[in-house]
Amino acid sequence: GCASLSDINVSGYSSDYTVSGGVLFSADMTALLMYPAGKNTSIYTVPPTVTTISPMAFAGSGVSEVYMTNVEMIGLEAFSGCAELKRADLGSSLRLIGYGAFYNCSSLKNVNLPGALEEIGGKAFYGCSALKEIKIPATVTDIGESAVYGGTRIICEEGSVAAGYAEENGIPVKLTESSSENRKETGTEP
């Protein structure tokens, strides 16, 4: 790999790519293509124009915290092997977490899954041994094989896909009441 690569530069003649802060993006800055594995920045905020984190974009990097605002898709193994990653704030727009996206992020302790999320790919959080619990929203309709590490407790709504997934795979689960029941009980409409 390129473990010591700390910056990326692109010729001024390229109309397909752009670089900002040593990170490679698509020309229109909607896709983050590569975060250098040797970059010395431990906290990284993804620019708000980015809607896609490309496959393996951060793989093996030393980033410890990442913050996203408008990302809708995290690609295959995007953060795999990021042993220093402790926190991932995925914003509110995320719909898809790809296969192995956070595979073997052994220090990951905090991750928020937004209400827009629909799919969690297989092995997405496998090997995240420091992740003690993960709250999976009821909007998730597809969870891939071995998506969550066995020692991680799933917090989810009763009757959700996540609740069924936890039961089928023998994963500890904490069930909450559904949002619609909560609205009914408080007398507010959706």
Side-chain angles (χ1 to χ4, degrees), residues 4-108:
S4 61
L5 180 68
S6 61
D7 271 334
I8 297 172
N9 294 305
V10 176
S11 163
Y13 299 107
S14 176
S15 61
D16 296 327
Y17 305 104
T18 191
V19 173
S20 177
V23 178
L24 183 65
F25 297 90
S26 58
D28 62 1
M29 295 276 296
T30 59
L32 189 153
L33 304 174
M34 185 179 182
Y35 180 93
K39 192 160 182 61
N40 290 332
T41 307
S42 63
I43 298 172
Y44 185 72
T45 300
V46 176
T49 56
V50 174
T51 57
T52 301
I53 304 293
S54 295
M56 301 188 75
F58 285 81
S61 75
V63 68
S64 64
E65 295 181 25
V66 66
Y67 297 90
M68 304 174 198
T69 51
N70 297 315
V71 172
E72 296 175 11
M73 186 189 89
I74 297 175
L76 170 88
E77 299 180 2
F79 292 89
S80 68
C82 290
E84 303 300 317
L85 184 63
K86 292 178 178 73
R87 178 183 180 91
D89 186 331
L90 306 180
S92 60
S93 302
L94 189 65
R95 291 188 342 244
L96 170 71
I97 298 174
Y99 180 91
F102 293 92
Y103 182 81
N104 276 342
C105 291
S106 56
S107 298
L108 186 63

